[in-house]
Amino acid sequence: MNYSSFFVIFFVSTFFSCHTVDNKALQNTEKYKISDLKILASEGHVAEGGLARLPNGNILVLYRKDPSFSHVSNSGEIMGKLSEDNGNSWGDEFVVYNSKYDDRNLVVGQLASGEVIVVFRRYDDQRQKTIDAGYIKSKNGLDWGNYKPIRNTEGVFNQPFGTIGQSGKTNSFLIAFENGVIKKYHSNDNFVVNLSEKTIIHAPDKNLQEPFEVLLDNNQSIILCRNGKGDLGEPSFFQFSSKNGVDYKYDGPTNIFDDFEYSVRSPISLTYSESDKILEVMGNSRYLYQTSKNEKNSIRIYTQPAKAVLKDSKAYDLSTSIARPIPSDHWFYGYPKSIDLTRDKRLYIISDAKIHDPEKQGSHIKNEDADLFYFTVSLKKE
């Protein structure tokens, strides 16, 4: 992406149609111009989405949807929509995959073959146990192949996250396990037969969640993991990096959301511009508990040269802050993902949430209304 003319606009739609949301909820900064919001999908708990471009140029969005408004339940299924006009509008919703378990923790991307893949975890909420992680693939976003489980994920906690890395003919993705273990899975045949597994991070003293890797130049890469500890004074994210794509080292905590008392409870998304050597990080604040503090939560964009944070994990530069889509009633859900639309425009998706039924007693886990939003952000011309 060309950051000399980088654009971002903030959008939102209803389940079947689009409507405009009050622009006063947004904060325009000196650097970015933020426009109206539109909801991409709603009518349930809709979150954990991902974007990919199909071989015909259309954009596919996939997301977990639970019509029972549950954060976790066996009603969770993978749904999708297609855009034929580069993300300006979206077609009807359709079912992509629905097992008898909760299908969650989606990693979506395009393979070197042009196929689209979604990696995800199957979780049995009734037994509160992970079944396994696996993936399905498609050439057109509508017709999907059989589910293929990933070995060594059966019956153990695991958390696919991030995006599909692509370096030449090699594709890769990450899965987090317990005890600070991050495994990298890669394939040089588009996950047809070959699927290599390697533990790239083992940090038993840390609660590493939702790892996101961005590939840089010359086989370098950066991984940011959310700190799942969430205690007072804890950093929100830990940084790991590699100079060769094989060996990874711990760089230290970052300064992302370091002005918060507690570590935030939602992951980040990373993108890298090869032309400008700029690393962009988008994240959002979310507290663990349902308090009035969550009403002022925000989306943040950090923009800096990749080499700066490779030298110093606390060199992330806050570019702008955007008000959350739903400014009251509950916390910010988050989980941003993105895709480039043109050389100077990027599309993001993110979820916001609130209590579905205020009269219902008990945890939000079974009572959470989450909508999936889509947006772009435009850089003001100097």
Side-chain angles (χ1 to χ4, degrees):
M1 178 173 288
N2 183 354
Y3 273 77
S4 64
S5 57
F6 167 57
F7 285 90
V8 188
I9 306 169
F10 210 76
F11 291 109
V12 186
S13 97
T14 63
F15 183 60
F16 291 109
S17 62
C18 298
H19 70 277
T20 299
V21 177
D22 188 359
N23 222 1
K24 295 179 181 179
L26 300 178
Q27 302 165 358
N28 287 354
T29 68
E30 293 183 0
K31 198 166 189 177
Y32 292 102
K33 180 181 180 181
I34 313 300
S35 73
D36 297 335
L37 291 78
K38 294 180 182 177
I39 298 174
L40 199 156
S42 60
E43 297 188 357
H45 187 279
V46 186
E48 300 179 6
L51 296 156
R53 193 168 298 272
L54 296 169
N56 64 3
N58 291 342
I59 297 176
L60 171 70
V61 61
L62 301 180
Y63 45 88
R64 175 194 179 270
K65 181 174 183 177
D66 191 320
S68 70
F69 295 93
S70 294
H71 189 106
V72 180
S73 88
N74 286 352
S75 298
E77 57 188 330
I78 300 174
M79 307 295 288
K81 286 188 177 185
L82 288 172
S83 174
E84 299 179 351
D85 56 6
N86 212 32
N88 289 316
S89 63
W90 299 88
D92 293 339
E93 186 177 63
F94 54 87
V95 177
V96 171
Y97 184 86
N98 185 17
S99 72
K100 62 180 180 180
Y101 307 113
D102 189 355
D103 306 314
R104 58 187 302 109
N105 306 122
L106 279 60
V107 177
V108 182
Q110 187 181 47
L111 301 176
S113 63
E115 296 172 289
V116 172
I117 186 173
V118 53
V119 184
F120 57 98
R121 175 169 65 122
R122 301 194 302 178
Y123 178 78
D124 188 348
D125 183 47
Q126 293 184 353
R127 293 186 295 162
Q128 297 188 344
K129 181 180 179 180
T130 294
I131 301 302
D132 57 18
Y135 58 88
I136 55 176
K137 300 189 299 178
S138 173
K139 293 181 179 180
N140 59 13
L142 298 172
D143 305 304
W144 294 82
N146 294 330
Y147 176 79
K148 292 187 177 182
I150 299 172
R151 63 180 181 273
N152 300 328
T153 65
E154 300 90 346
V156 296
F157 171 83
N158 66 80
Q159 187 183 54
F161 196 75
T163 188
I164 302 298
Q166 189 178 131
S167 178
K169 294 183 179 180
T170 300
N171 302 286
S172 62
F173 57 84
L174 302 181
I175 298 182
F177 293 82
E178 292 181 312
N179 301 315
V181 171
I182 307 294
K183 292 186 179 182
K184 188 170 186 175
Y185 298 82
H186 64 272
S187 169
N188 57 12
D189 70 350
N190 300 293
F191 300 106
V192 175
V193 177
N194 297 322
L195 177 63
S196 299
E197 167 194 335
K198 181 182 179 181
T199 298
I200 59 171
I201 296 172
H202 184 202
D205 59 325
K206 295 178 175 59
N207 185 341
L208 302 181
Q209 296 189 18
E210 293 137 349
F212 199 116
E213 181 175 31
V214 62
L215 304 182
L216 309 174
D217 301 323
N218 303 316
N219 294 319
Q220 296 184 101
S221 69
I222 291 175
I223 296 176
L224 292 186
C225 298
R226 185 172 69 82
N227 179 6
K229 212 168 183 180
D231 293 340
L232 180 66
E234 288 279 340
S236 292
F237 298 96
F238 298 116
Q239 178 176 300
F240 298 81
S241 66
S242 174
K243 292 182 178 180
N244 56 15
V246 177
D247 304 304
Y248 291 77
K249 67 181 182 69
Y250 175 57
D251 297 329
T254 75
N255 61 323
I256 299 173
F257 288 105
D258 63 352
D259 53 318
F260 281 69
E261 287 184 298
Y262 294 83
S263 57
V264 299
R265 309 295 300 185
S266 186
I268 44 72
S269 173
L270 294 85
T271 54
Y272 176 66
S273 167
E274 293 184 5
S275 60
D276 298 319
K277 315 302 180 187
I278 294 295
L279 176 67
E280 180 183 298
V281 178
M282 175 173 281
N284 59 277
S285 53
R286 186 181 90 184
Y287 285 85
L288 176 60
Y289 303 107
Q290 303 171 39
T291 70
S292 59
K293 292 182 179 180
N294 290 295
E295 297 181 13
K296 296 183 179 180
N297 287 355
S298 62
I299 302 168
R300 290 185 178 183
I301 302 173
Y302 293 80
T303 307
Q304 54 282 308
K307 64 180 182 180
V309 293
L310 284 171
K311 291 181 180 179
D312 180 4
S313 63
K314 292 190 175 183
Y316 288 90
D317 184 16
L318 178 60
S319 300
T320 192
S321 180
I322 307 165
R324 60 181 292 214
I326 305 175
S328 62
D329 299 331
H330 196 30
W331 60 11
F332 200 167
Y333 194 80
Y335 288 75
K337 296 290 176 63
S338 71
I339 192 171
D340 287 349
L341 298 179
T342 65
R343 190 166 179 262
D344 42 318
K345 181 182 284 189
R346 180 171 292 148
L347 172 71
Y348 277 96
I349 57 173
I350 201 167
S351 292
D352 205 354
K354 63 180 180 180
I355 292 294
H356 174 57
D357 182 0
E359 303 299 322
K360 186 177 180 179
Q361 300 298 314
S363 168
H364 72 281
I365 295 296
K366 302 296 182 182
N367 187 26
E368 189 172 49
D369 182 354
D371 296 337
L372 183 65
F373 297 77
Y374 68 105
F375 61 95
T376 61
V377 182
S378 56
L379 190 65
K380 292 181 179 179
K381 294 183 179 181
E382 298 180 357

